[in-house]
Amino acid sequence: MSQEPGNYAPANGIQLWYRDEGPQTGEPVLLIMGLGSQLIAWPEDFVTDLVGRGYRVIRFDNRDCGLSDKIEPPAVPTFRPAYFLTDMANDAIGLLDHLGIDRAHVVGASMGGMIAQLVAINHPTRVSSLCSIMSTTGNRLVGLPTQEAVRAVLAPTPTEREAAIEHMAGVISVIGSKTLAKTEWPRRIEYAAAAYDRGIFPAGTVRQFDAIAAAVDRTSRLQQLDVPTLVIHGDEDSLINISGGAATAAAIPGARFEQSPTMGHDLPHSLCGGLVEAIEANFSRALAPA
């Protein structure tokens, strides 16, 4: 078992590494991270702010990432993805089952936003509120990346530690906030080093990407949701264009759209306080009388 705080949970036939922070009596908040991103990609200030407000915050490494189980490829190669985003949504539900949590506020970033949407679509009774950050609907006409972002994300990660750290931080600089790039650089290096030392897994990132590529447009199903929803997206996002967030907000009845002019495909330190404020306001909508 890892020496870091956390535990393994059986979920949907695999083992997920998770952290469960804050008061056990607090309202549960499930954080779902994106493509190839470990649970430590949620900024500590973001998590500790939620915990300080009395929430029980659960975050985890997705399958094929971090300390969670890696998915063995089939012995005979097929044209079918190893798994789908719906499987990853079921992983999240399996974690809630393990923890004995009936309902949670579900917050997802990037691919995690896609997974969070599917949790709400396929398991509506388990979701108190939904927050989709820097994500999209699956409609191929919205949320398109720039060519520079595609090249950065698909470039192979060096195996040597220092080169890998520089590369990973550089990718974040391409897709993340440009306005806040200078002040964020030390944190990008710090995250890249921590992610490398926990264990990066490029093969798993490829399989997660395949799951995203195989996903169908969720728009019509998002239109059927009845859950307090907040959509957050940054103007400077070059990996998932802000049109993806706008389409998500337009699809979900009653959704609120929070647009950040200085946020890219990242969660900058200086913006975390405002993001938590907006997310908590959405939590409150779930508690308000009808």
Side-chain angles (χ1 to χ4, degrees):
M1 180 173 291
S2 170
Q3 297 303 305
E4 72 171 51
N7 287 289
Y8 280 108
N12 194 25
I14 61 174
Q15 294 283 324
L16 296 180
W17 180 261
Y18 73 96
R19 294 186 192 175
D20 185 354
E21 300 162 277
Q24 294 292 291
T25 55
E27 291 178 55
V29 178
L30 182 67
L31 304 179
I32 309 176
M33 196 24 86
L35 178 70
S37 297
Q38 304 174 36
L39 62 80
I40 59 172
W42 292 104
E44 282 301 317
D45 287 353
F46 181 94
V47 175
T48 56
D49 194 351
L50 284 169
V51 168
R53 294 167 188 250
Y55 295 99
R56 178 183 179 183
V57 181
I58 299 119
R59 49 181 166 154
F60 64 100
D61 289 330
N62 285 309
R63 61 168 64 195
D64 257 348
C65 184
L67 303 180
S68 289
D69 273 0
K70 309 306 185 292
I71 307 303
E72 292 293 330
V76 178
T78 69
F79 293 106
R80 186 177 185 271
Y83 47 83
F84 297 89
L85 292 181
T86 50
D87 296 309
M88 300 182 80
N90 290 337
D91 294 348
I93 291 296
L95 177 56
L96 294 181
D97 288 344
H98 173 75
L99 296 173
I101 295 172
D102 292 329
R103 295 173 67 91
H105 299 288
V106 181
V107 180
S110 192
M111 180 186 73
M114 304 171 196
I115 295 168
Q117 292 169 26
L118 286 167
V119 170
I121 288 168
N122 296 331
H123 308 275
T125 62
R126 309 297 297 274
V127 179
S128 299
S129 72
L130 171 65
C131 180
S132 180
I133 305 172
M134 54 192 178
S135 194
T136 188
T137 62
N139 180 342
R140 301 296 191 264
L141 299 180
V142 298
L144 297 176
T146 66
Q147 288 301 309
E148 181 187 23
V150 171
R151 286 193 298 269
V153 169
L154 295 183
T157 302
T159 55
E160 192 273 324
R161 184 179 186 274
E162 294 307 317
I165 291 169
E166 191 79 14
H167 168 80
M168 290 189 288
V171 171
I172 300 171
S173 291
V174 170
I175 65 177
S177 171
K178 303 296 188 294
T179 300
L180 303 172
K182 184 175 181 179
T183 55
E184 282 296 305
W185 180 251
R187 293 183 183 88
R188 291 168 179 174
I189 287 286
E190 181 181 12
Y191 165 71
Y196 184 89
D197 292 341
R198 274 181 107 240
I200 59 172
F201 190 57
T205 301
V206 171
R207 287 194 286 270
Q208 290 179 359
F209 182 83
D210 289 343
I212 294 171
V216 299
D217 187 351
R218 293 177 294 280
T219 302
S220 62
R221 290 175 293 165
L222 291 171
Q223 291 168 343
Q224 305 304 311
L225 288 181
D226 182 18
V227 61
T229 300
L230 173 67
V231 178
I232 299 173
H233 217 117
D235 288 342
E236 296 185 353
D237 191 334
S238 61
L239 186 61
I240 298 180
N241 181 270
I242 196 169
S243 60
T248 304
I252 301 174
R256 296 179 179 177
F257 188 32
E258 186 87 9
Q259 186 171 342
S260 171
T262 59
M263 182 173 138
H265 203 78
D266 58 349
L267 298 170
H269 168 77
S270 63
L271 301 183
C272 281
L275 295 178
V276 171
E277 288 283 350
I279 292 168
E280 185 176 42
N282 191 54
F283 294 168
S284 299
R285 294 172 64 200
L287 303 175

